[in-house]
Amino acid sequence: MAHIIVVGNEKGGAGKSTVSMHLATALARMGHRISGLDLDLRQRTFGRYIDNRKAFLQNAKLDLASPSLCELPEIEASTLKPGENVYDHRLSAAVASMEPDNDFILIDCPGSHTRLSQVAHSLADTLITPLNDSFIDFDLLAHTDPSGDKITGPSVYSEMVWTARQLRAQAGLAPIDWIVVRNRLGAQRMVNKEKMERAIEKLSKRIGFRIAPGFNERVIFRELFPRGLTLLDLKDIGVKQLNISNVAARQELRDLVKALNLPGVTADF
C-alpha cells in the first residue's frame, strides 16, 4: 500500500504548499512514484503549483521528474446511505484510485477546519505540520500563559490530531508519525525564538510529535511558483551557478527529507 503523507494545520501562511511541492518533487526525482491531492477546493495552491509545472515543462520541452495530480471524483448522492458524508466517499475513492500505482500519496490540506481535512488526518501515516516560528502559530497547537513559558493546555488542532490517532488505533492501523516543521526561522538568537524552541520541545514530549527544521523565508520560493518549479530544478533550466541562498535552501530541503525518515527514502538528490 502507498505511504500516505498529509501536510496540514488549520492556519494559512505557514508554507504548507511550498513544503508539499518540494517534498513531492524531491521524492519524484529520487525515482519514487508519487501523486498529490489538494483538499483546499477553493484556493487550490498545491494543485495549481503542479498544473503550473506541467504547463511550463510542456512549453519548455523539458522532461523533469514530477508528482502527478489527482482530483477528487464526484459521487452521486443517490449512492449514499443515510448518514454517510459525500466528502468521506470522495476522499476514499481518490485514495483508492492512487494506491495501486504509487509509492507515496501526498495530501495537502487547507488552512482551516474542514470535513475533508479531518478525515485526511486519520489516513496519515506521516503527518507534517509546518509552523511559522511565532507564538501566534504556536497557539494552533497549545495555549500558553502570558510569559510564553508555561503550556496551559492543547489547542484545537492538537485535539483533532488526537482524535485522528484514536480512529487509527480503533481501525488497527499503525500510529501517525507526526512531525512539526519549524518554518521561517530567524538567523539571530532572539528571546522569542528561544522561548519558541523551549515551548515546542516541551509540547513535543507532552502530546507526541517530532520536530524537524523547515525553510527560512526566501524570495526564491515565490518566484518559482508561476513556473511550477522547485529549488531542485534550477540547474535543469539552465542556472549554472547557484547563489549562497539557493544552496542553503537545497540543504534545508535535504535536512527535512532526512528528518522525515520516510520508508525507503534517503536524502540523495
Side-chain angles (χ1 to χ4, degrees), residues 24-38:
T25 302
L27 291 172
R29 291 179 68 100
M30 286 186 279
H32 300 285
R33 300 172 301 165
I34 176 166
S35 284
L37 182 63
D38 191 342

Side-chain angles (χ1 to χ4, degrees), residues 95-108:
V95 170
S97 70
M98 289 187 285
E99 277 196 316
D101 301 317
N102 287 282
D103 304 309
F104 294 94
I105 296 170
L106 193 150
I107 303 175
D108 188 36

Side-chain angles (χ1 to χ4, degrees), residues 113-140:
H113 181 78
T114 67
R115 174 72 181 190
L116 278 172
S117 181
Q118 184 179 11
V119 176
H121 279 67
S122 68
L123 299 178
D125 297 304
T126 297
L127 172 61
I128 303 170
T129 301
L131 198 73
N132 290 331
D133 206 47
S134 159
F135 275 103
I136 296 175
D137 280 34
F138 183 84
D139 194 63
L140 179 81

